[in-house]
Amino acid sequence: MTKSPAPTPPKFPRGGVRAPSPEQIEDEGTLRGALFEGGDWPALAALHSVTFVGCVFRRVNLTGSVWERVRLLDVRFEDCDLSGARWTDVSLERVEVAGSRLLGLQAAGVRLRHVRLTRVHAPLSVWQRADAAHLHLNGCDLSEASFMDAKLPGAVLRDCRLHRTDLRGATLDGADLRGSALGGLRAGAADLQGVTVEAAQVLDLAHLLGVQVEERPGSA
């Protein structure tokens, strides 16, 4: 069983982060120590082969953005909206996402290393075939999200809403789902091998294990 330590947090420049000029944002470029703050940034709507290092996105509207072959290294998203965004061949390392909306985010095949999501609203998001290590999710809504065939060994999903979340075919050895709402979770018994849950959550998983739960006749 794999137990994952807490993700390593992002590292930012000692001199802090500064707002970039729009012309600095171009395909196949690298932005270091950039601060994107407030509202719309048209230059971020469609990106190809861009690397962000030591950057902060704060209250930025990224709805419907299309990012391809983008690398995020030491990055933090705060109160951003990435609803309907499409990520193709995107890599995240030492990334934190807090208080943000990821409704319907399309992130199939994303690579996640030392990533933490906190209070993220991500129903209907797609993470199929994601490859994750040192992944922690806290207080997130992942209702009807899809993690089919994702690699999530040792992932921690604490106090998350997993209503009809699809984990079929996912690798979950050592994953910790304690405190999360598991009603309607979509997974097979084999998918849940090595997963840690609380006793109170077992009833929500009974249908996945082929177990029928009934009270004994005459019991109070």
Side-chain angles (χ1 to χ4, degrees):
M1 180 179 294
T2 304
K3 289 294 184 181
S4 176
T8 301
K11 302 174 183 178
F12 299 106
R14 290 185 178 181
V17 292
R18 299 179 181 179
S21 59
E23 55 268 21
Q24 289 180 277
I25 308 169
E26 58 182 3
D27 286 346
E28 301 183 7
T30 299
L31 286 96
R32 299 180 184 274
L35 169 64
F36 302 91
E37 189 166 22
D40 298 324
W41 284 75
L44 299 175
L47 299 176
H48 178 80
S49 299
V50 176
T51 299
F52 296 93
V53 182
C55 296
V56 175
F57 296 79
R58 184 175 295 145
R59 297 186 298 277
V60 177
N61 181 11
L62 295 167
T63 57
S65 55
V66 179
W67 290 5
E68 182 178 358
R69 299 185 65 184
V70 169
R71 185 186 183 202
L72 302 165
L73 175 62
D74 293 317
V75 170
R76 180 173 174 83
F77 293 88
E78 302 173 4
D79 302 314
C80 293
D81 195 341
L82 290 89
S83 298
R86 287 181 289 163
W87 287 358
T88 303
D89 196 15
V90 171
S91 173
L92 288 72
E93 185 171 353
R94 295 195 297 272
V95 171
E96 294 180 347
V97 184
S100 297
R101 287 175 55 85
L102 278 63
L103 175 66
L105 171 73
Q106 302 290 311
V110 67
R111 184 178 185 272
L112 307 166
R113 295 292 185 273
H114 294 278
V115 173
R116 182 186 296 274
L117 275 62
T118 306
R119 303 184 313 280
V120 165
H121 185 73
L124 301 172
S125 54
V126 176
W127 310 83
Q128 292 179 355
R129 303 182 308 283
D131 183 354
H134 308 289
L135 174 65
H136 280 216
L137 287 77
N138 302 88
C140 298
D141 186 349
L142 299 166
S143 300
E144 299 188 75
S146 175
F147 289 86
M148 289 183 64
D149 300 316
K151 297 178 182 178
L152 306 171
V156 175
L157 285 74
R158 183 80 75 238
D159 299 322
C160 293
R161 180 172 171 78
L162 302 177
H163 176 67
R164 295 187 60 82
T165 302
D166 198 337
L167 293 171
R168 290 176 296 178
T171 302
L172 294 163
D173 183 46
D176 188 341
L177 308 184
R178 287 177 293 176
S180 292
L182 306 180
L185 186 71
R186 303 178 70 185
D191 301 322
L192 299 175
Q193 293 295 312
V195 172
T196 299
V197 298
E198 296 173 308
Q201 295 171 295
V202 174
L203 286 177
D204 289 329
L205 299 177
H207 69 287
L208 303 177
L209 305 176
V211 175
Q212 184 172 341
V213 180
E214 294 183 359
E215 296 292 340
R216 289 184 300 170
S219 61

